[in-house]
Amino acid sequence: MLNRKRQEPAARSGSRAHQTSLIAHGTVIRGDLRFNGALHLDGRIEGSVCAESEDAVFTLSEQGQVHGEVHVSHAVINGEVNGNVFASERLELAAQARITGDVHYRTLEMTAGAQVNGRMTHTEESQATRELPAPAMAEAAEAAEAEAA
């Protein structure tokens, strides 16, 4: 019964956010890891972690370790990262978080006790070049010139 309730919202929204992959404590992955949905890491990754979807969530537990870069939209870190962290949307650093590397984030939540040994850089929302409409007076002048010609 509980399982059915979990599946209904995922089916309606079409989101993969409810698909969670778990890398258990004691597991070591050597190489880069790409994922969709959610990834919960209790083990160790020696390589980069990269989310392939914009709604992906990466959670690093107290026992978890990453020795490489992290590129995700949303990250919750409570373990150790030796490498740069790029969180395009939200970065949550829990009390046991230890990051040795630069951190790039859009929104940051940092609990007392978390440590970052590197630069912290706030990144703005990517703003596409916007073309402003021509002022009404300029358009009227151009239209008058066109009629006169």
Side-chain angles (χ1 to χ4, degrees), residues 8-70:
E8 288 173 5
R12 275 184 273 157
S13 67
S15 173
R16 294 184 183 192
H18 296 289
Q19 296 178 355
T20 302
S21 299
L22 170 66
I23 299 174
H25 181 69
T27 303
V28 178
I29 296 177
R30 290 184 177 91
D32 297 340
L33 178 70
R34 296 183 173 276
F35 72 98
N36 286 309
L39 173 64
H40 185 92
L41 176 62
D42 289 333
R44 177 178 170 150
I45 296 176
E46 296 175 357
S48 66
V49 176
C50 184
E52 292 187 332
S53 61
E54 290 185 25
D55 62 344
V57 178
F58 173 64
T59 304
L60 181 65
S61 73
E62 294 175 10
Q63 302 88 14
Q65 298 178 355
V66 175
H67 294 274
E69 290 193 343
V70 176

Side-chain angles (χ1 to χ4, degrees), residues 35 51 53-60 70-77 85-94 99 103-111 120-125:
F35 72 98
S53 61
E54 290 185 25
D55 62 344
V57 178
F58 173 64
T59 304
L60 181 65
V70 176
H71 294 267
V72 295
S73 298
H74 184 177
V76 179
I77 297 179
V85 176
F86 299 87
S88 61
E89 290 298 322
R90 182 174 179 83
L91 176 61
E92 298 177 39
L93 301 178
I99 299 176
V103 174
H104 303 267
Y105 62 92
R106 183 167 167 205
T107 303
L108 175 67
E109 180 180 327
M110 188 170 180
T111 304
M120 297 184 71
T121 305
H122 177 257
T123 56
E124 292 291 328
E125 182 178 358

